[in-house]
Amino acid sequence: KRMPDYTVSYRPLLVQTLKKIIPFPLKIDSVNLLHSEVRHNVLKEKSGNEASIFFTDIRGYIFNLRTFDYKENDSLRIALESRFMGKGEMAFAFRQDYTDTLQGFLMGGRMGGLDMKEMNRLITPLFNEKINKGYLKTLQLRVKGNDRLAYGSMDMYYDDLKLSVLNDENRKKKMTSFLVNLLVRTQNSKTGIVYAERLRDKSVFNYWARISMNGLLTSLGVRKNGAQERRFYRSLKKHQLPENIF
């Protein structure tokens, strides 16, 4: 049985979350992580399906962890390596400014050598699609974001991709699957635009997952670069944000 959602109207990003959960002055130069693990579940509210994403064998450093005495351009920095879904070797880098009122951040990731069927635990519950075959050679993500939205690019190189579209009983829709495989890129060497608008009542990990999923969908050809760009500029106007912050 799933526990009911907490009624929270706003959840801050990582730096502000640290300030909230550590109610005393703290200043640490670096934290070394070894053999750690992170798991995050994403719920599709309409269907109740739950997707999972996890990282094992996490090792690396968190630098400049503090809750007071901020200097100009002071940032929290993270540099980690891990195994995506326990399989693909992945490097992750993150930097967030302590003093920026928009909670601006930079995020990057790199991964390679993965059977793409390992992504089904994330993709199938959320999109009713299943990867039947495909091999990810390399992936590189570069994103700049803030408390409202994120924008960047993903280079994703893969071969021999084949998908199935499923109904609500997880049975293959044969004709729809045939048409989707005509539209989706079976192999890719193009750069995809990453755009994601934040759900501000969700955690920072939900935001990171949304950023990654949007990049994946663009790289697969499910979403088009032109459409992503138009959404980005509409969102800038909606939130009255200057383009030069990206």
Side-chain angles (χ1 to χ4, degrees), residues 105 107-109 139-145 149-156 190-197 207-220 223-233 246:
F105 65 85
M107 186 172 79
L139 179 152
Q140 188 159 354
L141 172 71
R142 298 169 297 274
V143 168
K144 191 171 185 180
L149 57 106
Y151 185 75
S153 63
M154 178 181 282
D155 295 311
M156 183 176 176
K190 295 181 179 180
T191 298
I193 288 176
V194 179
Y195 162 72
E197 189 160 355
Y207 193 19
W208 291 356
R210 285 174 60 81
I211 290 168
S212 302
M213 283 304 304
N214 275 279
L216 177 64
L217 293 173
T218 307
S219 296
L220 294 176
R223 294 180 180 171
K224 304 303 180 185
N225 278 346
Q228 293 288 73
E229 276 200 69
R230 289 191 292 274
R231 292 189 185 101
F232 168 65
Y233 285 110
F246 292 92

Side-chain angles (χ1 to χ4, degrees), residues 28-237:
I28 301 176
D29 179 68
S30 63
V31 177
N32 186 10
L33 298 178
L34 289 173
H35 308 301
S36 302
E37 186 172 315
V38 170
R39 294 178 178 267
H40 180 66
N41 293 334
V42 182
L43 185 70
K44 186 176 181 181
E45 294 185 4
K46 188 173 181 180
S47 65
N49 292 338
E50 192 170 51
S52 65
I53 182 171
F54 61 91
F55 305 88
T56 61
D57 192 24
I58 298 172
R59 63 255 182 221
Y61 289 89
I62 302 173
F63 298 102
N64 196 29
L65 178 61
R66 60 176 62 198
T67 59
F68 77 111
D69 192 26
Y70 305 120
K71 305 292 192 300
E72 188 176 358
N73 299 321
D74 237 352
S75 298
L76 174 72
R77 303 189 306 279
I78 301 174
L80 301 174
E81 293 182 348
S82 68
R83 289 186 178 274
F84 173 76
M85 298 299 201
K87 302 288 185 179
E89 284 290 342
M90 181 178 181
F92 173 79
F94 178 83
R95 179 172 184 157
Q96 185 181 346
D97 194 304
Y98 276 112
T99 59
D100 182 11
T101 56
L102 286 173
Q103 304 182 57
F105 65 85
L106 298 172
M107 186 172 79
R110 187 178 69 254
M111 183 170 65
L114 181 71
D115 183 340
M116 294 178 72
K117 289 185 290 186
E118 297 294 336
M119 298 180 179
N120 282 331
R121 278 177 279 195
L122 182 63
I123 292 173
T124 301
L126 296 180
F127 302 104
N128 281 29
E129 293 183 359
K130 179 182 178 182
I131 297 176
N132 298 315
K133 63 180 294 190
Y135 184 75
L136 175 67
K137 295 186 287 186
T138 61
L139 179 152
Q140 188 159 354
L141 172 71
R142 298 169 297 274
V143 168
K144 191 171 185 180
N146 56 44
D147 190 39
R148 290 291 187 176
L149 57 106
Y151 185 75
S153 63
M154 178 181 282
D155 295 311
M156 183 176 176
Y157 303 107
Y158 60 82
D159 287 326
D160 302 322
L161 178 66
K162 189 170 183 180
L163 300 172
S164 291
V165 180
L166 308 176
N167 61 21
D168 291 337
E169 287 76 41
N170 284 329
R171 295 178 181 174
K172 180 179 177 180
K173 295 181 176 180
K174 293 183 179 180
M175 181 56 68
T176 307
S177 297
F178 173 75
L179 295 174
V180 164
N181 282 297
L182 292 178
L183 297 173
V184 168
R185 302 179 188 128
T186 58
Q187 58 184 24
N188 186 55
S189 59
K190 295 181 179 180
T191 298
I193 288 176
V194 179
Y195 162 72
E197 189 160 355
R198 189 182 176 217
L199 301 177
R200 300 175 83 211
D201 61 337
K202 305 295 184 182
S203 73
V204 62
F205 301 109
N206 176 276
Y207 193 19
W208 291 356
R210 285 174 60 81
I211 290 168
S212 302
M213 283 304 304
N214 275 279
L216 177 64
L217 293 173
T218 307
S219 296
L220 294 176
V222 177
R223 294 180 180 171
K224 304 303 180 185
N225 278 346
Q228 293 288 73
E229 276 200 69
R230 289 191 292 274
R231 292 189 185 101
F232 168 65
Y233 285 110
R234 284 199 298 268
S235 191
L236 285 180
K237 186 176 180 180

